[in-house]
Every structure is written in structure tokens, then in C-alpha cells.
Amino acid sequence: MMYSGGLIHSIDRIFVWISKAALLQLIWLWYTIAGLIVLGIFPATIAALGIARKWLQGNDDIPIWKTFKQIYVNEFKKSNVLGWVLLTVGIVLYLNFKVIESYPMNLPIVVPFSFYLIILFYFIVFVWSFPLLTHYNTSVLKLLKIAFIIGISKIHVSLLIMISLFSVVYVSLQFPAFLFLFFSSLIAVVWIWFSLRVFKKMDKEQTNEM
């Protein structure tokens, strides 16, 4: 009987978390569309990361919709500035890639090598900037600077985050139902899980220094 009760409790918790993940996904879609996508996707993503951060810190009973809306509104401007800066840089890098791809034999080896190194740095800054925005209250410029420093000093974690996010995207594209129901929530949890481990260690080191 005790085993049966424990099993039922475990199954119940699994379904609770599945429903929470699905709800977070639907709220993320709603607020992304409400912001006409171009202005909604970045604050909605930051809000999803903020919810995942609270979950992983043990606050799993928070009102999801109310908390999401609060983060969305509070971080609307800063998240859009950060997101559009990174997106603009990404577009410029993509255009440069197309140029390099068009003249592969006419360029010194140092040119494509340097370019791909810049691409790596770009992705490093990208994967750390958004979690940093949920954890620290500072300017966008400083966020980008800290993201670069953390990304380089924790290069192994940076690569793990990239691989993990790519894996979630790949699986989601293979299973459309998963893409619709759990994509953003799983991305947020995976992204924040890795980031929080680093942030907690940094915060602890700063406290010890004080």
C-alpha cells in the first residue's frame, strides 16, 4: 500500500509538472504574439527563463500567469534592446558568412578562421546574456561584457548549453506536438539549469570575498 501510494504521488507530480510546462509554453506563445512577435519574443523568452529560474530555486507554487506578466512588463524594454542588438549582430555575421562562402578560394586562411572564432564568441555571448538578464539588474552593455567573460572562463559550460539547446530544438522539430506543447518551457529549464549552477558559484565567491 505504501509503495502504491508513493507511485501514485510520483505519477501525480509528473502530470502536475507536465501541465505546468504546457501552460508556460502557451503563455509564452500568447505574449509573443501579443507583442506582434518582433516586440514580444524577447520579453516572453526572458519571462519564461524567469519562471524556470524560480522553479529551480524551489518556488514551484508561484502563480505562473501573474509572475510571467510581471517579468514580461518589467523587462520589456531591456530584453528588446538586448535581443535586437544580438539579432542585428547575428544578421551581420550571417551576411558576412554568405560573402565568405562565395569566395572560399580567394581568401587567406586567417580570414575564415578569424570569422568562425567571432561566430563562436557570438554564440557564447548569446547563450549567457539572456540568463544573466534574469539574474542581475544591470545595463545591457554590462550584461554583454559579463556574458563574454563568463562564457570564455566557463567555455565547457557554454558548449554544454549550446549542445543542449540544439538538442531540444532538434527533437522539437522532429515531433511537432512536442514543439507546440513544451518547446519554450523545456528550453527555459535547460538553459537556466546550467546558468544557475555558475551564477550560484559566482555569488558565493563574491560573498566570501566580502
Side-chain angles (χ1 to χ4, degrees), residues 82 125 128-129 132 138-152:
L82 175 63
V125 171
W128 285 104
S129 294
L132 276 167
T138 186
S139 67
V140 170
L141 187 60
K142 192 168 183 180
L143 279 174
L144 294 171
K145 179 182 176 181
I146 297 172
F148 180 77
I149 294 171
I150 294 176
I152 294 298

Side-chain angles (χ1 to χ4, degrees), residues 64-75:
I64 299 176
W65 187 286
K66 181 180 178 181
T67 307
F68 190 103
K69 182 180 179 180
Q70 183 180 22
I71 299 173
Y72 183 94
V73 171
N74 290 344
E75 303 296 347

Side-chain angles (χ1 to χ4, degrees), residues 22-80:
L23 177 60
L24 180 57
Q25 167 74 2
L26 291 175
I27 296 173
W28 178 83
L29 282 172
W30 172 261
Y31 275 92
T32 297
I33 295 170
L36 302 177
I37 299 178
V38 292
L39 292 178
I41 189 167
F42 297 122
T45 300
I46 290 298
L49 288 169
I51 294 292
R53 177 175 175 269
K54 291 181 181 297
W55 283 349
L56 292 173
Q57 289 179 325
N59 302 316
D60 53 1
D61 291 327
I62 57 170
I64 299 176
W65 187 286
K66 181 180 178 181
T67 307
F68 190 103
K69 182 180 179 180
Q70 183 180 22
I71 299 173
Y72 183 94
V73 171
N74 290 344
E75 303 296 347
F76 186 86
K77 181 179 179 181
K78 189 182 291 186
S79 61
N80 268 306

Side-chain angles (χ1 to χ4, degrees), residues 45-164:
T45 300
I46 290 298
L49 288 169
I51 294 292
R53 177 175 175 269
K54 291 181 181 297
W55 283 349
L56 292 173
Q57 289 179 325
N59 302 316
D60 53 1
D61 291 327
I62 57 170
I64 299 176
W65 187 286
K66 181 180 178 181
T67 307
F68 190 103
K69 182 180 179 180
Q70 183 180 22
I71 299 173
Y72 183 94
V73 171
N74 290 344
E75 303 296 347
F76 186 86
K77 181 179 179 181
K78 189 182 291 186
S79 61
N80 268 306
V81 171
L82 175 63
W84 280 100
V85 166
L86 290 171
L87 182 60
T88 302
V89 173
I91 292 171
V92 171
L93 289 174
Y94 175 75
L95 294 175
N96 277 273
F97 169 75
K98 299 303 290 185
V99 172
I100 292 174
E101 191 179 41
S102 301
Y103 304 98
M105 305 301 296
N106 301 325
L107 296 172
I109 187 66
V110 68
V111 173
F113 177 81
S114 300
F115 177 75
Y116 290 124
L117 187 62
I118 292 172
I119 290 288
L120 175 63
F121 290 158
Y122 170 77
F123 279 112
I124 285 173
V125 171
F126 185 92
V127 300
W128 285 104
S129 294
F130 290 97
L132 276 167
L133 181 52
T134 69
H135 197 75
Y136 296 109
N137 183 23
T138 186
S139 67
V140 170
L141 187 60
K142 192 168 183 180
L143 279 174
L144 294 171
K145 179 182 176 181
I146 297 172
F148 180 77
I149 294 171
I150 294 176
I152 294 298
S153 62
K154 305 290 184 182
I155 187 66
H156 60 296
V157 182
S158 302
L159 294 175
L160 281 173
I161 294 174
M162 292 181 205
I163 293 169
S164 300

